[in-house]
Amino acid sequence: MVTSGKLRENQAKVLAALVREPGSTYAEIAELAGLAQPEPARRLPELRERGLVFQVKIEGKPESRECTVRKTMCGVWRPTGLGMAMVEDDQ
């Protein structure tokens, strides 16, 4: 089980990586943030619920492209204005 301190720390790492590289996949975010691949996949939906990240929908489906890490089609994530502001405030 992840403690709340570690959870928030990993959420912050995921968000900061996404602000640096908007339009990244969860595997690319993992690489940027120095996390195992499953971690961003778990944290991104939590950050979306908090209004900090989103996925662009194209005809009702998440925007996707070939991931540079996995070499497969993956959904891309983007920070919201609020997400970008939170990272800027922390720096």
Side-chain angles (χ1 to χ4, degrees):
M1 164 120 332
V2 176
T3 64
S4 62
K6 190 70 167 173
L7 174 72
R8 293 287 183 199
E9 179 183 326
N10 286 347
Q11 286 175 339
K13 286 180 180 180
V14 167
L15 183 57
L18 192 56
V19 167
R20 281 194 316 272
E21 294 291 333
S24 295
T25 68
Y26 78 88
E28 292 165 343
I29 294 167
E31 211 169 71
L32 289 165
L35 297 169
Q37 284 187 20
E39 193 64 18
R42 294 180 186 124
R43 304 292 75 94
L44 286 163
E46 297 164 352
L47 293 169
R48 180 179 52 209
E49 287 177 20
R50 293 173 53 202
L52 302 175
V53 302
F54 69 100
Q55 284 187 294
V56 174
K57 301 282 183 169
I58 300 172
E59 296 181 9
K61 296 180 182 178
E63 174 187 8
S64 62
R65 63 166 174 76
E66 185 175 320
C67 174
T68 61
V69 175
R70 296 182 53 99
K71 306 298 184 210
T72 60
M73 295 300 285
C74 295
V76 298
W77 293 84
R78 300 183 187 284
T80 63
L82 178 60
M84 290 189 297
M86 285 189 70
V87 170
E88 289 170 5
D89 288 346
D90 286 344
Q91 294 179 359

